[in-house]
Amino acid sequence: MAMWFRNSDDAWGSVARGFHWLIAALVIAQFLIGNVAEEMKLTPAKLDLFVWHKSIGVTVLVLAVLRLAWRFGNPPPAPPAGTPAWERRLGALVHWVLYALIFIVPLSGWWVSDASRVPFRAYFLVPMPDLIATDRGLQEAAAEVHEALTIILLCVAIVHIAAALRHHFLLHDDVLRRMLTGRSSKE
Ligand code: HEM
Ligand code: HEM
């Protein structure tokens, strides 16, 4: 019998689903927090909001490491029977780009923070290593990179969400349902 926390041939286990939806929720929150914080006047509230933004972002990075490790030990369920080869390849490609981005986007943000002169304690508690010297020019360049990467993430996530909705509403298959419930209608 399949174990509920592991993936099976046609269903996602609870651990993979937990990582997926937790990271998705945090990434969406990060877009809102990042943009709101960016627009604020320089006040203590703005600096606090950035501490939250950075802390949640570092959390996404830690979750990404754990998720990828779990992924290597847990092959995903197969796409619905009859999915054309090009669609399987495109789906796999988009998923690996998303995996890459949940590492690169937080790392680029950390780079901005590290080049700035603002010391950063995750959740106001855990001091983060200061790896590079304060450099205003580098900070601005890193901020451009971080912003560009977040826009790429946004675009790829929109394609990803559109694909999930297409599976559910147009193809009437289990792809979205099994990520939500962990069950496939074949069981
Ligand atoms: C899932 C991870 C993350 C997402 C989706 C994200 C998203 C964003 C967004 C949408 C903005 C506003 C874009 C702009 O107009 O510049 C932003 C800004 C910023 N983020 Fe992140 N971020 C993430 C992680 C991090 C992390 C881990 C840090 C630092 C440890 C960080 C530090 C910053 C900083 C310092 C800015 C302001 C950049 C500037 O000065 O323009 N971010 N982020
Ligand atoms: C409301 C938003 C989202 C929906 C509806 C959604 C839906 C789905 C679904 C249905 C799958 C399963 C695909 C399959 O069975 O082959 C999936 C997989 C995946 N999703 Fe999402 N997703 C969302 C947001 C996100 C976000 C924000 C990220 C990352 C930034 C993400 C990253 C991934 C990855 C990497 C996989 C592949 C898992 C694997 O093969 O190991 N998703 N998503």
Side-chain angles (χ1 to χ4, degrees):
M1 207 197 95
M3 282 177 285
W4 58 277
F5 55 90
R6 291 184 63 92
N7 303 335
S8 68
D9 291 345
D10 60 3
W12 292 101
S14 54
V15 175
R17 281 183 293 119
F19 277 131
H20 178 272
W21 293 114
L22 181 57
I23 291 175
L26 294 179
V27 165
I28 292 166
Q30 283 292 82
F31 271 97
L32 300 174
I33 298 171
N35 282 305
V36 169
E38 183 77 23
E39 297 300 315
M40 285 169 76
K41 290 199 309 274
L42 189 58
T43 58
K46 174 178 180 141
L47 296 177
D48 280 358
L49 198 55
F50 263 119
V51 175
W52 285 108
H53 180 76
K54 296 175 186 183
S55 305
I56 297 168
V58 168
T59 305
V60 170
L61 183 61
V62 172
L63 289 170
V65 173
L66 299 174
R67 179 179 182 187
L68 205 64
W70 182 259
R71 173 65 159 75
F72 285 128
N74 267 268
T83 305
W86 71 269
E87 263 187 54
R88 290 170 192 253
R89 278 200 296 270
L90 188 61
L93 176 70
V94 170
H95 292 157
W96 285 111
V97 171
L98 286 170
Y99 275 126
L101 286 167
I102 57 176
F103 284 85
I104 303 170
V105 169
L107 284 171
S108 66
W110 192 356
W111 188 32
V112 183
S113 169
D114 204 350
S116 80
R117 61 189 169 74
V118 185
F120 164 39
R121 285 173 174 262
Y123 297 100
F124 303 92
L125 286 172
V126 188
M128 299 302 288
D130 192 358
L131 303 172
I132 50 181
T134 300
D135 179 334
R136 189 65 208 213
L138 189 62
Q139 179 195 333
E140 275 160 18
E144 293 295 321
V145 172
H146 185 56
E147 185 176 3
L149 287 167
T150 65
I151 292 167
I152 293 172
L153 173 57
L154 183 64
C155 296
V156 180
I158 288 172
V159 170
H160 175 67
I161 294 165
L165 297 176
R166 168 177 175 260
H167 278 281
H168 193 73
F169 291 107
L170 299 178
L171 304 178
H172 305 289
D173 62 26
D174 272 345
V175 167
L176 178 58
R177 201 175 302 120
R178 72 184 185 181
M179 186 47 106
L180 286 166
T181 68
R183 240 169 267 122
S184 97
S185 58
K186 275 174 242 118
E187 280 168 24

mmCIF file of all heavy atoms in Angstrom, residues 7 12 20-21 23-25 27-28 67 71 74 76-79 94-96 98-99 101-102 153 157 160-161 164-165 175-180, ligand 2:
data_model
loop_
_atom_site.group_PDB
_atom_site.id
_atom_site.type_symbol
_atom_site.label_atom_id
_atom_site.label_comp_id
_atom_site.label_asym_id
_atom_site.label_seq_id
_atom_site.Cartn_x
_atom_site.Cartn_y
_atom_site.Cartn_z
ATOM 1 N N ASN A 7 4.937 10.252 -2.555
ATOM 2 C CA ASN A 7 4.217 10.249 -3.822
ATOM 3 C C ASN A 7 4.011 8.803 -4.275
ATOM 4 O O ASN A 7 4.811 7.932 -3.971
ATOM 5 C CB ASN A 7 5.025 10.973 -4.906
ATOM 6 C CG ASN A 7 5.383 12.398 -4.522
ATOM 7 O OD1 ASN A 7 4.692 13.013 -3.709
ATOM 8 N ND2 ASN A 7 6.446 12.922 -5.100
ATOM 9 N N TRP A 12 0.144 12.736 -5.485
ATOM 10 C CA TRP A 12 1.165 13.432 -4.696
ATOM 11 C C TRP A 12 0.998 13.068 -3.228
ATOM 12 O O TRP A 12 -0.127 13.069 -2.716
ATOM 13 C CB TRP A 12 1.006 14.948 -4.832
ATOM 14 C CG TRP A 12 1.328 15.486 -6.189
ATOM 15 C CD1 TRP A 12 0.440 15.842 -7.160
ATOM 16 C CD2 TRP A 12 2.632 15.755 -6.728
ATOM 17 N NE1 TRP A 12 1.107 16.306 -8.265
ATOM 18 C CE2 TRP A 12 2.449 16.268 -8.031
ATOM 19 C CE3 TRP A 12 3.936 15.605 -6.235
ATOM 20 C CZ2 TRP A 12 3.525 16.634 -8.847
ATOM 21 C CZ3 TRP A 12 4.998 15.978 -7.048
ATOM 22 C CH2 TRP A 12 4.785 16.480 -8.330
ATOM 23 N N HIS A 20 4.605 22.335 -1.711
ATOM 24 C CA HIS A 20 4.108 23.102 -2.855
ATOM 25 C C HIS A 20 3.254 24.284 -2.418
ATOM 26 O O HIS A 20 3.493 25.423 -2.809
ATOM 27 C CB HIS A 20 3.313 22.216 -3.818
ATOM 28 C CG HIS A 20 2.756 22.987 -4.976
ATOM 29 N ND1 HIS A 20 1.537 23.607 -4.923
ATOM 30 C CD2 HIS A 20 3.290 23.297 -6.192
ATOM 31 C CE1 HIS A 20 1.334 24.256 -6.068
ATOM 32 N NE2 HIS A 20 2.380 24.086 -6.852
ATOM 33 N N TRP A 21 2.251 24.022 -1.569
ATOM 34 C CA TRP A 21 1.305 25.090 -1.235
ATOM 35 C C TRP A 21 1.880 26.072 -0.228
ATOM 36 O O TRP A 21 1.570 27.276 -0.288
ATOM 37 C CB TRP A 21 -0.038 24.506 -0.782
ATOM 38 C CG TRP A 21 -0.727 23.815 -1.910
ATOM 39 C CD1 TRP A 21 -0.990 22.476 -2.021
ATOM 40 C CD2 TRP A 21 -1.209 24.410 -3.134
ATOM 41 N NE1 TRP A 21 -1.599 22.209 -3.224
ATOM 42 C CE2 TRP A 21 -1.753 23.372 -3.931
ATOM 43 C CE3 TRP A 21 -1.230 25.708 -3.643
ATOM 44 C CZ2 TRP A 21 -2.314 23.595 -5.196
ATOM 45 C CZ3 TRP A 21 -1.783 25.928 -4.896
ATOM 46 C CH2 TRP A 21 -2.319 24.888 -5.658
ATOM 47 N N ILE A 23 5.109 26.963 -0.043
ATOM 48 C CA ILE A 23 6.010 27.834 -0.800
ATOM 49 C C ILE A 23 5.208 28.749 -1.726
ATOM 50 O O ILE A 23 5.501 29.949 -1.833
ATOM 51 C CB ILE A 23 7.057 26.998 -1.576
ATOM 52 C CG1 ILE A 23 8.022 26.341 -0.575
ATOM 53 C CG2 ILE A 23 7.820 27.863 -2.587
ATOM 54 C CD1 ILE A 23 9.027 25.382 -1.194
ATOM 55 N N ALA A 24 4.167 28.222 -2.378
ATOM 56 C CA ALA A 24 3.343 29.064 -3.265
ATOM 57 C C ALA A 24 2.755 30.234 -2.471
ATOM 58 O O ALA A 24 2.814 31.384 -2.921
ATOM 59 C CB ALA A 24 2.236 28.235 -3.912
ATOM 60 N N ALA A 25 2.211 29.951 -1.285
ATOM 61 C CA ALA A 25 1.603 31.019 -0.480
ATOM 62 C C ALA A 25 2.652 32.050 -0.058
ATOM 63 O O ALA A 25 2.415 33.263 -0.129
ATOM 64 C CB ALA A 25 0.915 30.421 0.758
ATOM 65 N N VAL A 27 5.505 32.754 -1.533
ATOM 66 C CA VAL A 27 5.987 33.499 -2.704
ATOM 67 C C VAL A 27 4.979 34.587 -3.088
ATOM 68 O O VAL A 27 5.358 35.736 -3.358
ATOM 69 C CB VAL A 27 6.263 32.541 -3.892
ATOM 70 C CG1 VAL A 27 6.413 33.306 -5.194
ATOM 71 C CG2 VAL A 27 7.519 31.714 -3.611
ATOM 72 N N ILE A 28 3.689 34.243 -3.060
ATOM 73 C CA ILE A 28 2.664 35.254 -3.390
ATOM 74 C C ILE A 28 2.706 36.382 -2.355
ATOM 75 O O ILE A 28 2.682 37.561 -2.698
ATOM 76 C CB ILE A 28 1.270 34.594 -3.483
ATOM 77 C CG1 ILE A 28 1.230 33.656 -4.708
ATOM 78 C CG2 ILE A 28 0.164 35.649 -3.586
ATOM 79 C CD1 ILE A 28 0.055 32.687 -4.733
ATOM 80 N N ARG A 67 12.675 20.929 0.085
ATOM 81 C CA ARG A 67 11.746 20.421 -0.914
ATOM 82 C C ARG A 67 12.478 19.682 -2.027
ATOM 83 O O ARG A 67 12.059 18.607 -2.458
ATOM 84 C CB ARG A 67 10.955 21.588 -1.514
ATOM 85 C CG ARG A 67 9.982 21.149 -2.586
ATOM 86 C CD ARG A 67 9.210 22.320 -3.126
ATOM 87 N NE ARG A 67 8.230 21.910 -4.119
ATOM 88 C CZ ARG A 67 7.512 22.756 -4.835
ATOM 89 N NH1 ARG A 67 7.660 24.052 -4.659
ATOM 90 N NH2 ARG A 67 6.654 22.303 -5.722
ATOM 91 N N ARG A 71 12.226 15.903 -3.168
ATOM 92 C CA ARG A 71 11.879 15.613 -4.562
ATOM 93 C C ARG A 71 12.804 14.548 -5.155
ATOM 94 O O ARG A 71 12.364 13.666 -5.879
ATOM 95 C CB ARG A 71 11.958 16.906 -5.372
ATOM 96 C CG ARG A 71 11.801 16.768 -6.867
ATOM 97 C CD ARG A 71 10.410 16.285 -7.226
ATOM 98 N NE ARG A 71 10.052 16.594 -8.600
ATOM 99 C CZ ARG A 71 10.501 15.985 -9.683
ATOM 100 N NH1 ARG A 71 11.367 15.004 -9.559
ATOM 101 N NH2 ARG A 71 10.099 16.344 -10.877
ATOM 102 N N ASN A 74 11.708 11.222 -4.176
ATOM 103 C CA ASN A 74 10.287 10.971 -4.428
ATOM 104 C C ASN A 74 9.890 11.362 -5.831
ATOM 105 O O ASN A 74 9.451 12.479 -6.063
ATOM 106 C CB ASN A 74 9.439 11.848 -3.493
ATOM 107 C CG ASN A 74 9.083 11.147 -2.228
ATOM 108 O OD1 ASN A 74 8.051 10.520 -2.130
ATOM 109 N ND2 ASN A 74 9.968 11.260 -1.258
ATOM 110 N N PRO A 76 7.847 12.274 -9.038
ATOM 111 C CA PRO A 76 6.475 12.786 -9.096
ATOM 112 C C PRO A 76 5.557 11.768 -9.770
ATOM 113 O O PRO A 76 6.031 10.899 -10.501
ATOM 114 C CB PRO A 76 6.595 14.041 -9.952
ATOM 115 C CG PRO A 76 7.807 13.834 -10.782
ATOM 116 C CD PRO A 76 8.736 12.976 -9.973
ATOM 117 N N PRO A 77 4.253 11.881 -9.533
ATOM 118 C CA PRO A 77 3.308 11.023 -10.252
ATOM 119 C C PRO A 77 3.374 11.305 -11.750
ATOM 120 O O PRO A 77 3.759 12.398 -12.154
ATOM 121 C CB PRO A 77 1.950 11.423 -9.668
ATOM 122 C CG PRO A 77 2.147 12.748 -9.029
ATOM 123 C CD PRO A 77 3.579 12.818 -8.615
ATOM 124 N N ALA A 78 3.009 10.319 -12.552
ATOM 125 C CA ALA A 78 3.072 10.476 -14.007
ATOM 126 C C ALA A 78 1.998 11.446 -14.487
ATOM 127 O O ALA A 78 0.950 11.565 -13.864
ATOM 128 C CB ALA A 78 2.874 9.120 -14.663
ATOM 129 N N PRO A 79 2.274 12.146 -15.590
ATOM 130 C CA PRO A 79 1.227 12.978 -16.190
ATOM 131 C C PRO A 79 0.062 12.078 -16.635
ATOM 132 O O PRO A 79 0.256 10.861 -16.781
ATOM 133 C CB PRO A 79 1.900 13.603 -17.405
ATOM 134 C CG PRO A 79 3.353 13.317 -17.286
ATOM 135 C CD PRO A 79 3.511 12.161 -16.363
ATOM 136 N N VAL A 94 9.109 23.799 -17.219
ATOM 137 C CA VAL A 94 8.548 24.890 -16.411
ATOM 138 C C VAL A 94 8.750 24.584 -14.925
ATOM 139 O O VAL A 94 9.118 25.465 -14.143
ATOM 140 C CB VAL A 94 7.052 25.119 -16.750
ATOM 141 C CG1 VAL A 94 6.395 26.074 -15.749
ATOM 142 C CG2 VAL A 94 6.914 25.665 -18.174
ATOM 143 N N HIS A 95 8.555 23.321 -14.530
ATOM 144 C CA HIS A 95 8.732 22.978 -13.115
ATOM 145 C C HIS A 95 10.175 23.180 -12.664
ATOM 146 O O HIS A 95 10.420 23.687 -11.571
ATOM 147 C CB HIS A 95 8.276 21.541 -12.855
ATOM 148 C CG HIS A 95 6.791 21.363 -13.003
ATOM 149 N ND1 HIS A 95 6.194 20.162 -13.262
ATOM 150 C CD2 HIS A 95 5.792 22.272 -12.936
ATOM 151 C CE1 HIS A 95 4.870 20.329 -13.350
ATOM 152 N NE2 HIS A 95 4.602 21.604 -13.158
ATOM 153 N N TRP A 96 11.147 22.807 -13.527
ATOM 154 C CA TRP A 96 12.545 22.994 -13.118
ATOM 155 C C TRP A 96 12.923 24.461 -13.087
ATOM 156 O O TRP A 96 13.712 24.891 -12.231
ATOM 157 C CB TRP A 96 13.501 22.162 -13.990
ATOM 158 C CG TRP A 96 13.411 20.713 -13.596
ATOM 159 C CD1 TRP A 96 12.890 19.692 -14.335
ATOM 160 C CD2 TRP A 96 13.782 20.147 -12.330
ATOM 161 N NE1 TRP A 96 12.912 18.520 -13.609
ATOM 162 C CE2 TRP A 96 13.464 18.755 -12.385
ATOM 163 C CE3 TRP A 96 14.337 20.653 -11.154
ATOM 164 C CZ2 TRP A 96 13.690 17.888 -11.311
ATOM 165 C CZ3 TRP A 96 14.571 19.779 -10.091
ATOM 166 C CH2 TRP A 96 14.250 18.424 -10.173
ATOM 167 N N LEU A 98 10.841 26.815 -12.208
ATOM 168 C CA LEU A 98 10.275 27.289 -10.939
ATOM 169 C C LEU A 98 11.151 26.855 -9.759
ATOM 170 O O LEU A 98 11.406 27.643 -8.841
ATOM 171 C CB LEU A 98 8.845 26.772 -10.759
ATOM 172 C CG LEU A 98 7.785 27.458 -11.640
ATOM 173 C CD1 LEU A 98 6.462 26.696 -11.570
ATOM 174 C CD2 LEU A 98 7.576 28.912 -11.223
ATOM 175 N N TYR A 99 11.625 25.601 -9.789
ATOM 176 C CA TYR A 99 12.536 25.158 -8.717
ATOM 177 C C TYR A 99 13.771 26.053 -8.664
ATOM 178 O O TYR A 99 14.208 26.473 -7.583
ATOM 179 C CB TYR A 99 12.976 23.708 -8.934
ATOM 180 C CG TYR A 99 12.015 22.662 -8.398
ATOM 181 C CD1 TYR A 99 11.527 21.654 -9.214
ATOM 182 C CD2 TYR A 99 11.627 22.671 -7.055
ATOM 183 C CE1 TYR A 99 10.664 20.683 -8.727
ATOM 184 C CE2 TYR A 99 10.765 21.704 -6.563
ATOM 185 C CZ TYR A 99 10.285 20.712 -7.391
ATOM 186 O OH TYR A 99 9.436 19.758 -6.906
ATOM 187 N N LEU A 101 14.061 29.121 -9.651
ATOM 188 C CA LEU A 101 13.735 30.482 -9.212
ATOM 189 C C LEU A 101 13.500 30.585 -7.707
ATOM 190 O O LEU A 101 13.811 31.626 -7.116
ATOM 191 C CB LEU A 101 12.517 31.005 -9.986
ATOM 192 C CG LEU A 101 12.818 31.376 -11.441
ATOM 193 C CD1 LEU A 101 11.521 31.585 -12.229
ATOM 194 C CD2 LEU A 101 13.698 32.629 -11.518
ATOM 195 N N ILE A 102 12.981 29.518 -7.078
ATOM 196 C CA ILE A 102 12.782 29.634 -5.624
ATOM 197 C C ILE A 102 14.118 29.578 -4.871
ATOM 198 O O ILE A 102 14.161 29.818 -3.671
ATOM 199 C CB ILE A 102 11.741 28.636 -5.049
ATOM 200 C CG1 ILE A 102 12.099 27.191 -5.357
ATOM 201 C CG2 ILE A 102 10.342 28.987 -5.542
ATOM 202 C CD1 ILE A 102 11.149 26.173 -4.725
ATOM 203 N N LEU A 153 9.883 35.357 -12.406
ATOM 204 C CA LEU A 153 9.116 34.406 -11.593
ATOM 205 C C LEU A 153 7.619 34.630 -11.766
ATOM 206 O O LEU A 153 6.844 33.677 -11.925
ATOM 207 C CB LEU A 153 9.523 34.526 -10.112
ATOM 208 C CG LEU A 153 8.698 33.724 -9.101
ATOM 209 C CD1 LEU A 153 8.692 32.239 -9.438
ATOM 210 C CD2 LEU A 153 9.232 33.924 -7.688
ATOM 211 N N ALA A 157 5.185 31.837 -13.232
ATOM 212 C CA ALA A 157 4.110 31.355 -12.347
ATOM 213 C C ALA A 157 2.747 31.529 -13.024
ATOM 214 O O ALA A 157 1.867 30.669 -12.877
ATOM 215 C CB ALA A 157 4.154 32.087 -11.002
ATOM 216 N N HIS A 160 2.350 28.737 -15.368
ATOM 217 C CA HIS A 160 2.145 27.527 -14.564
ATOM 218 C C HIS A 160 0.695 27.437 -14.065
ATOM 219 O O HIS A 160 0.049 26.391 -14.171
ATOM 220 C CB HIS A 160 3.138 27.597 -13.401
ATOM 221 C CG HIS A 160 3.028 26.513 -12.385
ATOM 222 N ND1 HIS A 160 3.326 25.204 -12.660
ATOM 223 C CD2 HIS A 160 2.681 26.551 -11.067
ATOM 224 C CE1 HIS A 160 3.153 24.479 -11.557
ATOM 225 N NE2 HIS A 160 2.760 25.277 -10.582
ATOM 226 N N ILE A 161 0.179 28.535 -13.545
ATOM 227 C CA ILE A 161 -1.189 28.550 -13.013
ATOM 228 C C ILE A 161 -2.186 28.367 -14.165
ATOM 229 O O ILE A 161 -3.162 27.615 -14.048
ATOM 230 C CB ILE A 161 -1.443 29.855 -12.225
ATOM 231 C CG1 ILE A 161 -0.554 29.878 -10.971
ATOM 232 C CG2 ILE A 161 -2.918 29.978 -11.847
ATOM 233 C CD1 ILE A 161 -0.448 31.242 -10.300
ATOM 234 N N ALA A 164 -2.350 24.773 -15.010
ATOM 235 C CA ALA A 164 -3.131 24.009 -14.029
ATOM 236 C C ALA A 164 -4.631 24.190 -14.292
ATOM 237 O O ALA A 164 -5.406 23.225 -14.251
ATOM 238 C CB ALA A 164 -2.775 24.453 -12.606
ATOM 239 N N LEU A 165 -5.030 25.431 -14.591
ATOM 240 C CA LEU A 165 -6.452 25.700 -14.853
ATOM 241 C C LEU A 165 -6.896 25.039 -16.161
ATOM 242 O O LEU A 165 -8.019 24.541 -16.269
ATOM 243 C CB LEU A 165 -6.704 27.216 -14.886
ATOM 244 C CG LEU A 165 -6.424 27.932 -13.559
ATOM 245 C CD1 LEU A 165 -6.611 29.444 -13.716
ATOM 246 C CD2 LEU A 165 -7.316 27.403 -12.439
ATOM 247 N N VAL A 175 -4.953 16.655 -12.792
ATOM 248 C CA VAL A 175 -3.684 17.300 -12.442
ATOM 249 C C VAL A 175 -3.827 18.311 -11.298
ATOM 250 O O VAL A 175 -3.048 18.279 -10.341
ATOM 251 C CB VAL A 175 -3.046 17.932 -13.710
ATOM 252 C CG1 VAL A 175 -1.912 18.864 -13.342
ATOM 253 C CG2 VAL A 175 -2.532 16.824 -14.625
ATOM 254 N N LEU A 176 -4.823 19.180 -11.367
ATOM 255 C CA LEU A 176 -4.995 20.155 -10.281
ATOM 256 C C LEU A 176 -5.582 19.467 -9.036
ATOM 257 O O LEU A 176 -5.132 19.709 -7.917
ATOM 258 C CB LEU A 176 -5.902 21.313 -10.732
ATOM 259 C CG LEU A 176 -6.194 22.369 -9.656
ATOM 260 C CD1 LEU A 176 -4.901 22.992 -9.118
ATOM 261 C CD2 LEU A 176 -7.098 23.473 -10.198
ATOM 262 N N ARG A 177 -6.554 18.591 -9.251
ATOM 263 C CA ARG A 177 -7.220 17.946 -8.113
ATOM 264 C C ARG A 177 -6.226 17.159 -7.258
ATOM 265 O O ARG A 177 -6.259 17.216 -6.030
ATOM 266 C CB ARG A 177 -8.321 17.012 -8.641
ATOM 267 C CG ARG A 177 -9.386 16.682 -7.619
ATOM 268 C CD ARG A 177 -10.526 15.863 -8.228
ATOM 269 N NE ARG A 177 -11.173 16.531 -9.337
ATOM 270 C CZ ARG A 177 -11.233 16.028 -10.585
ATOM 271 N NH1 ARG A 177 -10.681 14.869 -10.864
ATOM 272 N NH2 ARG A 177 -11.841 16.699 -11.542
ATOM 273 N N ARG A 178 -5.313 16.463 -7.916
ATOM 274 C CA ARG A 178 -4.399 15.633 -7.119
ATOM 275 C C ARG A 178 -3.352 16.473 -6.386
ATOM 276 O O ARG A 178 -2.813 16.030 -5.373
ATOM 277 C CB ARG A 178 -3.753 14.545 -7.979
ATOM 278 C CG ARG A 178 -2.724 15.046 -8.961
ATOM 279 C CD ARG A 178 -2.215 13.904 -9.831
ATOM 280 N NE ARG A 178 -1.140 14.387 -10.697
ATOM 281 C CZ ARG A 178 -0.515 13.640 -11.583
ATOM 282 N NH1 ARG A 178 -0.848 12.362 -11.738
ATOM 283 N NH2 ARG A 178 0.449 14.135 -12.321
ATOM 284 N N MET A 179 -3.067 17.687 -6.892
ATOM 285 C CA MET A 179 -2.160 18.558 -6.128
ATOM 286 C C MET A 179 -2.905 19.161 -4.940
ATOM 287 O O MET A 179 -2.322 19.442 -3.897
ATOM 288 C CB MET A 179 -1.575 19.651 -7.038
ATOM 289 C CG MET A 179 -0.503 20.517 -6.387
ATOM 290 S SD MET A 179 0.765 19.597 -5.477
ATOM 291 C CE MET A 179 2.181 19.718 -6.554
ATOM 292 N N LEU A 180 -4.219 19.332 -5.074
ATOM 293 C CA LEU A 180 -5.009 19.894 -3.972
ATOM 294 C C LEU A 180 -5.340 18.838 -2.921
ATOM 295 O O LEU A 180 -5.249 19.108 -1.719
ATOM 296 C CB LEU A 180 -6.311 20.492 -4.516
ATOM 297 C CG LEU A 180 -6.146 21.822 -5.262
ATOM 298 C CD1 LEU A 180 -7.412 22.144 -6.055
ATOM 299 C CD2 LEU A 180 -5.835 22.952 -4.291
HETATM 300 C C1 HEM B 2 -2.219 29.251 -7.285
HETATM 301 C C2 HEM B 2 -1.049 28.905 -7.729
HETATM 302 C C3 HEM B 2 -0.601 27.518 -8.183
HETATM 303 C C4 HEM B 2 -1.313 26.465 -8.690
HETATM 304 C C5 HEM B 2 -2.812 26.383 -8.987
HETATM 305 C C6 HEM B 2 -0.353 25.386 -8.912
HETATM 306 C C7 HEM B 2 -0.657 24.120 -9.386
HETATM 307 C C8 HEM B 2 0.219 23.073 -9.540
HETATM 308 C C9 HEM B 2 -0.126 21.728 -9.929
HETATM 309 C C10 HEM B 2 -1.553 21.254 -10.263
HETATM 310 C C11 HEM B 2 1.007 20.983 -9.975
HETATM 311 C C12 HEM B 2 1.120 19.494 -10.312
HETATM 312 C C13 HEM B 2 1.616 19.285 -11.708
HETATM 313 C C14 HEM B 2 1.732 17.819 -12.039
HETATM 314 O O1 HEM B 2 1.013 16.995 -11.462
HETATM 315 O O2 HEM B 2 2.573 17.473 -12.889
HETATM 316 C C15 HEM B 2 2.098 21.856 -9.602
HETATM 317 C C16 HEM B 2 3.427 21.465 -9.555
HETATM 318 C C17 HEM B 2 4.465 22.334 -9.270
HETATM 319 N N1 HEM B 2 4.343 23.655 -8.858
HETATM 320 FE FE1 HEM B 2 2.622 24.720 -8.700
HETATM 321 N N2 HEM B 2 0.899 25.823 -8.565
HETATM 322 C C18 HEM B 2 0.791 27.127 -8.104
HETATM 323 C C19 HEM B 2 1.808 27.931 -7.672
HETATM 324 C C20 HEM B 2 3.150 27.592 -7.710
HETATM 325 C C21 HEM B 2 4.237 28.486 -7.357
HETATM 326 C C22 HEM B 2 4.070 29.939 -6.905
HETATM 327 C C23 HEM B 2 5.395 27.770 -7.516
HETATM 328 C C24 HEM B 2 6.834 28.191 -7.301
HETATM 329 C C25 HEM B 2 7.261 29.392 -7.275
HETATM 330 C C26 HEM B 2 5.028 26.434 -7.971
HETATM 331 C C27 HEM B 2 5.927 25.427 -8.249
HETATM 332 C C28 HEM B 2 5.617 24.153 -8.679
HETATM 333 C C29 HEM B 2 6.594 23.129 -8.990
HETATM 334 C C30 HEM B 2 8.116 23.277 -8.918
HETATM 335 C C31 HEM B 2 5.869 21.986 -9.372
HETATM 336 C C32 HEM B 2 6.460 20.651 -9.827
HETATM 337 C C33 HEM B 2 6.540 19.672 -8.715
HETATM 338 C C34 HEM B 2 7.383 18.477 -9.096
HETATM 339 O O3 HEM B 2 7.254 17.954 -10.217
HETATM 340 O O4 HEM B 2 8.191 18.075 -8.257
HETATM 341 N N3 HEM B 2 3.669 26.357 -8.068
HETATM 342 N N4 HEM B 2 1.592 23.124 -9.347
#
